[in-house]
Structure formats: C-alpha cells, structure tokens
Amino acid sequence: MHATVTDSANSYSSGPNTSVVTLTHLCKNFGSEIIYDDFNFDFKYGTFTSIFGPNGCGKSTLINMMAGLTPYDGGQILYNGRDISKATIGYVFQNYREALFPWWKAYENIEYPLKIKGMPAAERHQRLDELIEQFDIKFDLNRYPYEFSGGQQQLISILRALAPNPEIVFLDEPFSALDYEMTLFIRDKLQLIFTQSKIAMVLVSHDLEDAVFLAEQVLMLSKRPTRVVEIVPVDLPYPRNDRTLQLPEFLEAKRRSLEIFQQEVHK
Ligand SMILES: Nc1ncnc2c1ncn2[C@@H]1O[C@H](COP(=O)(O)OP(=O)(O)OP(=O)(O)O)[C@@H](O)[C@H]1O
C-alpha cells in the first residue's frame, strides 16, 4: 500500500520500501560505557521488526532514542527525512500499570494523545469508536484502569499508542508483566493491529519465541558497543497461530536467532 499523508507540519509518502526511521552514525554512552558507536539501521514502513540481543546491549535504549525519550550523543535519527517533532509515533511500555493514568477512565486514557494535539471532543470520540470497531473491543471503556484485567489494561495502552495514527509503534517488553493467557491474547491483538493498519512495529522482547512469532525480521544485536550481527527473516504469513510454531520456517528462524545469540553471549 502506498499513501501520501499530510499532517499539519508537512507531508510524506509511505510505502513498503520507504524508510520510516533512519539511524545514521548513532552514538550513545552512559558515562564511560559505550553503548552505540556508529550504529546504522533503517526501519521500513509496514514492517514488523523484533530486536533481540544480549542483556544490557541497549535494546530499550535504542527504541527510547528513536522515540525521543532518551537523548543520543552523536549521529542522526530521521523520520522519513524529518525531525522527530514532525513524526507521529506510538510507544507501549512494559508496565501498563504505571503507564495508564489511574484517575482517568480507559477511554480518556486512549483519547489522551489526541487531546494534547488539540483535537476537538467530537473527533476524539469518533476516533475512539473507530478503534473499538477495528479491534473488536468487547469490554466497556467507560471504567477505570484498575477495573480491567492485566491483558485488557495492556490492550488499552496499545489503543492509546494507536489513537493518533502513528507511523511506527515501539513496544518495550509488552508481555513481561502479563500471564501466559494474557500474553496470547495480546499477541493475537498485535497481529490483528499490524495486519489491519500495516504501520511499522518494533518489538523488544526477552522471549525469543514471541520475538520470532510476531516479526517479519529479527534484528540480532551484538554485545556492546552494539552493532547489527544479522537480520534474520521470518517469512511466514499472518495471522500466525499454534501451527506456526511447528513450521520449518519458524523453527529455522528461531534456531538461527538462538545460534547468533549464543555466539554473542559467549564472546
Ligand atoms: N539512564 C541510564 N543511566 C545509566 N546507564 C543506563 C541507563 N539506561 C540504561 N543504562 C545502561 O545501558 C545499558 C543498556 O541498557 P538497556 O536497558 O538499553 O539494555 P537492554 O538490552 O534493553 O537490557 P535488558 O536486556 O537487560 O533489558 C545497560 O548497561 C544499562 O545498565
């Protein structure tokens, strides 16, 4: 799908081979610790990428720099040639309990990014209705976060990330605070969201099975200073299900990712 999007700031075109985020000569240190030194990568529109690598290699730091949450020390991050201030991004945090505003009802949380953009109430409600229909939300959003299950709360934070029609959504360990049943529920919803909206998604997960199951490519990172060791393709159609876990393409992508991971960890 090719589209030209016009927002208030400028316009850009999106297509399967267009870069949504380009990282060039990126450098990041924490004190004397070099995390990234001349890191380069291109994330394309409509692609689901998982990031996997050794503990502490800088996976969260990478998406936080892309999302503008963590400053970087050198290089450049551009959104389709534009500065981040001109881009629309979504971010789903690991800990949904801390990420949602507890004093606001679920629908108010979801509408929040639209409210800070200055969107009138009638349009916000219309966008909310669209999201409810698109993702087949069966529960009543006119309740407070604590009244929902963990999986439902994480889904609410995903809907909040999607509300402003982002070009890219970053997901930092979205399953780690969920039990297995809720993880499966959110995994299915993420696939639905990805296939319906075809925006770029970037997932950081410690679980290799989740990382491979959801992604079209796994970005395998090295130990620090961190570089891309390999991009492992996961050439399988969506929606993926239990049977996917037994397919040769899935098993091969998982095997190769694990092999690279072990090589890196034991270096
Ligand atoms: N705000 C910070 N101040 C100082 N050091 C930091 C900060 N944030 C991260 N670090 C350090 O930078 C390195 C990379 O951290 P980061 O959380 O990005 O790695 P990660 O690959 O996501 O880690 P993990 O696999 O453990 O989740 C770690 O050594 C971490 O301790």
Side-chain angles (χ1 to χ4, degrees):
M1 184 181 73
H2 256 277
T4 298
V5 180
T6 306
D7 59 27
S8 54
N10 61 353
S11 68
Y12 59 92
S13 58
S14 70
N17 284 315
T18 318
S19 303
V20 54
V21 193
T22 307
L23 316 180
T24 324
H25 307 307
L26 197 64
C27 298
K28 176 70 187 170
N29 309 329
F30 282 116
S32 59
E33 190 77 66
I34 299 170
I35 313 291
Y36 290 100
D37 180 21
D38 196 13
F39 186 88
N40 299 280
F41 196 72
D42 233 8
F43 291 87
K44 306 283 187 203
Y45 277 102
T47 303
F48 201 131
T49 306
S50 288
I51 302 179
F52 203 77
N55 276 351
C57 73
K59 300 177 289 295
S60 297
T61 302
L62 188 66
I63 62 169
N64 288 341
M65 288 190 293
M66 287 195 276
L69 300 172
T70 297
Y72 47 97
D73 299 310
Q76 203 173 35
I77 298 180
L78 285 181
Y79 277 82
N80 202 344
R82 302 160 304 149
D83 180 78
I84 189 170
S85 62
K86 307 280 193 307
T88 306
I89 63 174
Y91 194 108
V92 176
F93 295 87
Q94 180 175 357
N95 194 338
Y96 53 84
R97 285 197 184 85
E98 285 169 18
L100 291 172
F101 298 111
W103 56 87
W104 280 347
K105 292 181 173 176
Y107 82 89
E108 292 171 309
N109 270 282
I110 297 168
E111 287 186 5
Y112 175 70
L114 307 177
K115 203 171 177 180
I116 54 173
K117 276 181 125 185
M119 187 184 277
E123 281 179 48
R124 295 202 305 263
H125 300 335
Q126 197 182 335
R127 176 69 185 131
L128 183 74
D129 289 343
E130 266 173 33
L131 287 164
I132 290 171
E133 196 187 322
Q134 190 179 5
F135 303 119
D136 195 25
I137 305 301
K138 299 269 193 265
F139 45 90
D140 178 14
L141 296 171
N142 195 25
R143 289 183 293 154
Y144 291 96
Y146 74 88
E147 297 178 84
F148 295 94
S149 71
Q152 288 170 331
Q153 288 184 55
Q154 191 56 300
L155 185 55
I156 291 163
S157 58
I158 292 169
L159 294 177
R160 181 175 63 182
L162 293 171
N165 281 314
E167 295 156 61
I168 186 164
V169 174
F170 299 105
L171 302 131
D172 189 8
E173 295 280 349
F175 313 116
S176 63
L178 300 178
D179 63 31
Y180 194 57
E181 188 185 338
M182 288 299 166
T183 297
L184 297 184
F185 170 74
I186 292 293
R187 260 189 2 188
D188 283 349
K189 287 290 178 192
L190 280 177
Q191 291 197 71
L192 183 70
I193 290 164
F194 177 66
T195 48
Q196 288 201 7
S197 59
K198 266 291 175 184
I199 54 179
M201 287 197 164
V202 182
L203 168 74
V204 169
S205 175
H206 280 123
D207 186 314
L208 185 57
E209 185 150 299
D210 287 337
V212 174
F213 184 82
L214 284 168
E216 293 168 302
Q217 57 178 11
V218 184
L219 184 61
M220 294 298 305
L221 299 182
S222 68
K223 275 187 175 169
R224 300 191 300 256
T226 305
R227 60 192 171 79
V228 177
V229 182
E230 193 167 309
I231 301 160
V232 177
V234 189
D235 199 7
L236 287 164
Y238 296 96
R240 298 172 183 176
N241 53 35
D242 289 352
R243 287 186 301 282
T244 306
L245 303 175
Q246 309 305 328
L247 295 176
E249 293 90 340
F250 177 83
L251 295 169
E252 173 52 24
K254 202 173 150 191
R255 186 203 63 77
R256 181 65 189 144
S257 303
L258 187 59
E259 184 175 61
I260 297 165
F261 178 75
Q262 280 174 335
Q263 277 166 8
E264 282 305 314
V265 167
H266 295 120
K267 255 184 188 167

